Amino acid sequence: LTPPAERVVLIILESPHIDEFDNGSPIGPACGCTGCRIRKYFSQIFGVVYDDCALVLLNAFRFQCSLGLSDVNLKNRIIRACKKDTVFKNDLKGRISDARERFFVQMFVNASGCVCEDFVDEVLSELKVDEKKVKRIVHPSRWNETATCKENKSYVTFKTKQR
């Protein structure tokens, strides 16, 4: 088999948010402040420039766990329930496997948020993703000039690059 040609960074988020829907129809990932912060801070945090690779966004859960509401507690309860169901784990495993077949994934960024990050880590581990390629960071909606990245498992903090 020929290896995939396009190099990508796979950013794994939590679930679609309100800004990613128009009258109940999905319009695309990271359409609100999350997308703005990814565009603004990604290169600074990870030291990867857009010319070197493409960014691929993937939600751990395909449906809107918030149910379109701003109740964080409800969203977190739904995520915790979904994490226990193998259907959701197998779905995420399949989508990550598809991405690995389609692209050369040079980095996996677990930016799914604290309620979801252990679920994503478990899936990546079961897929035998090289831990050196996995980075953990808070959800992009919280990225700023002082954002840091932690390597998966060892929690080594990387300082952001100075401009």
Side-chain angles (χ1 to χ4, degrees), residues 60-61 82-83 88-89 92 116-123:
F61 302 102
C82 292
K83 289 181 352 179
F88 293 105
K89 180 185 270 189
L92 180 58
C116 196
E117 72 182 3
D118 61 331
F119 174 75
V120 172
D121 279 343
E122 187 175 319
V123 167

Side-chain angles (χ1 to χ4, degrees), residues 101-158:
E101 288 176 19
R102 186 172 173 200
F103 306 111
F104 172 72
V105 183
Q106 70 177 45
M107 185 188 330
F108 295 82
V109 177
N110 182 352
S112 59
C114 60
V115 177
C116 196
E117 72 182 3
D118 61 331
F119 174 75
V120 172
D121 279 343
E122 187 175 319
V123 167
L124 293 172
S125 177
E126 288 178 13
L127 290 171
K128 301 190 180 343
V129 171
D130 182 354
E131 287 187 28
K132 294 176 196 154
K133 289 185 166 190
V134 179
K135 308 293 181 203
R136 285 179 109 179
I137 193 166
V138 297
H139 189 275
S141 64
R142 297 178 56 204
W143 292 3
N144 58 33
E145 293 84 8
T146 61
T148 58
C149 177
K150 299 176 283 186
E151 281 192 38
N152 196 26
K153 310 294 182 205
S154 63
Y155 299 95
V156 174
T157 302
F158 295 93

Side-chain angles (χ1 to χ4, degrees), residues 3 8-10 18 39 45-46 48 58 64-67 69 73-74 86 91 94-96 108 120 127 132 140 149:
V8 303
V9 172
L10 184 65
I18 294 168
R39 283 188 291 281
I45 294 168
F46 295 101
V48 177
L58 182 76
Q64 203 172 18
C65 290
S66 68
L67 304 178
L69 306 172
N73 293 323
L74 172 66
T86 58
D91 176 65
R95 291 183 290 124
I96 291 173
F108 295 82
V120 172
L127 290 171
K132 294 176 196 154
C149 177

